[in-house]
Amino acid sequence: MKKKFSLIAMAGAALLLLTACGTTAVTSSSTNLWDQIVYGFAQVIRFLSFGGLTGVGIILFTIVIRAALLPLMNIQIKSSQRMQEIQPEIKKIQAKYPSKDMESRRLMNEEIQKLYAENKVNPYMGCLPLVVQMPVLWALYQALSRVDFLKHGTFLWFEIGAKDPTFILPILAAVFTFLSSYLMMKSAPERNAVTTSMTYIMPIFILIMGVNFAAGIALYWVISNAFQVFQTMLLANPYKIIAAREAKVQVEKDKIKAREKALKKARKK
């Protein structure tokens, strides 16, 4: 989780760096590879902007991107679930090697890696969707700020290329980010301070970014994180996971009771 937090921080810093660079207009005549990617994104959004509404284009573009990433997200969710399930075993291994010397660290890491392999868990899989999405977010931001035909236009109450004056979009983006993280955390058998803090830190981070970025970017975050909530409820409903886990525990309890009852009968005979 700490590595994931570090990756998010680096991605945010990279986003700020890229948005600070590249301020010249992007057109069909741009020769730079990144500029061509940005212009390509802009063209896709314009194609999806039915009725000339860029906001509609951004919404449909976001849904298309999220739908394309759905298989990858499904793998990530299943990997995260398996990771959650083996946390008690990881803690046992960590308790087995309390010493901080190099040899103990090596043995502990070997056992943890073996545990990962046995349970088919990739601890880095949780970061992969974020890594894939960041270039999309960078290209979208620069398309809205550097491609002329996307910089102008209104949708609902806001200007696509300007900040949302009502802060409604940044707030919605933060709310859906929180719900997404909360639902994923809720199904975890055990919670730790890092996971809990990230559930509250990320929405604040998104809120601050949304307030300072173009409304089109905030709209992307709203739709993307709303889709994430829907996806979680569809593929990894925490309430169903909790119910299944409780049912499994109850089955084990019933087996123990049945075994104890059988032993008592055997003793009476």
Side-chain angles (χ1 to χ4, degrees):
M1 193 66 190
K2 290 180 180 178
K3 291 181 179 179
K4 187 174 182 179
F5 179 78
S6 299
L7 181 60
I8 291 171
M10 287 189 292
L15 176 59
L16 291 175
L17 178 62
L18 281 182
T19 55
C21 303
T23 57
T24 57
V26 173
T27 68
S28 58
S29 302
S30 298
T31 56
N32 180 279
L33 177 60
W34 174 252
D35 288 351
Q36 290 177 357
I37 293 172
V38 169
Y39 192 77
F41 272 49
Q43 289 284 57
V44 172
I45 293 172
R46 181 159 69 173
F47 174 76
L48 295 173
S49 298
F50 296 102
L53 296 173
T54 305
V56 173
I58 293 173
I59 291 171
L60 293 177
F61 174 82
T62 306
I63 293 173
V64 168
I65 293 296
R66 295 296 305 197
L69 290 174
L70 199 57
L72 180 62
M73 295 299 294
N74 189 29
I75 294 172
Q76 181 259 327
I77 287 172
K78 289 181 178 179
S79 179
S80 295
Q81 288 176 340
R82 288 195 292 267
M83 191 73 176
Q84 291 169 2
E85 295 296 336
I86 65 172
Q87 281 304 308
E89 296 300 320
I90 291 176
K91 287 187 175 182
K92 288 180 182 178
I93 295 173
Q94 291 171 339
K96 183 179 175 182
Y97 299 99
S99 178
K100 300 295 182 181
D101 62 273
M102 293 294 292
E103 181 63 16
S104 295
R105 298 290 93 185
R106 184 184 65 80
L107 293 173
M108 182 186 72
N109 289 331
E110 284 181 358
E111 286 201 31
I112 290 176
Q113 291 301 321
K114 183 179 178 181
L115 181 66
Y116 286 156
E118 290 173 351
N119 290 273
K120 298 180 180 179
V121 171
N122 186 339
Y124 303 105
M125 184 59 70
C127 302
L128 188 57
L130 174 66
V131 173
V132 172
Q133 287 185 75
M134 287 311 295
V136 175
L137 184 58
W138 296 333
L140 176 60
Y141 177 87
Q142 296 217 331
L144 291 171
S145 60
R146 299 176 62 194
V147 180
D148 189 65
F149 62 78
L150 289 188
K151 285 164 57 176
H152 309 290
T154 59
F155 182 68
L156 299 177
W157 68 88
F158 55 88
E159 291 280 342
I160 293 294
K163 299 174 185 177
D164 180 2
T166 65
F167 304 118
I168 292 175
L169 288 176
I171 290 171
L172 286 176
V175 168
F176 281 120
T177 299
F178 171 77
L179 287 175
S180 175
S181 299
Y182 174 78
L183 289 172
M184 289 299 293
M185 182 181 69
K186 187 174 180 63
S187 62
E190 296 183 3
R191 299 179 187 179
N192 56 57
V194 176
T195 302
T196 303
S197 62
M198 282 295 293
T199 301
Y200 295 96
I201 290 172
M202 279 306 296
I204 295 172
F205 177 76
I206 292 294
L207 177 62
I208 293 171
M209 299 281 277
V211 167
N212 291 283
F213 281 17
I217 289 290
L219 178 62
Y220 170 84
W221 273 325
V222 170
I223 303 303
S224 181
N225 287 311
F227 191 99
Q228 177 77 18
V229 171
F230 166 76
Q231 174 184 278
T232 301
M233 294 301 293
L234 180 66
L235 301 177
N237 190 314
Y239 301 101
K240 290 183 179 179
I241 292 173
I242 292 170
R245 188 180 297 135
E246 289 176 347
K248 185 177 179 180
V249 171
Q250 188 59 48
V251 167
E252 292 300 320
K253 288 181 178 179
D254 291 341
K255 285 182 179 179
I256 293 172
K257 286 182 180 179
R259 194 179 302 117
E260 290 176 348
K261 189 175 181 180
L263 286 173
K264 286 180 181 179
K265 285 184 179 180
R267 288 189 189 119
K268 287 180 180 179
K269 292 180 181 179

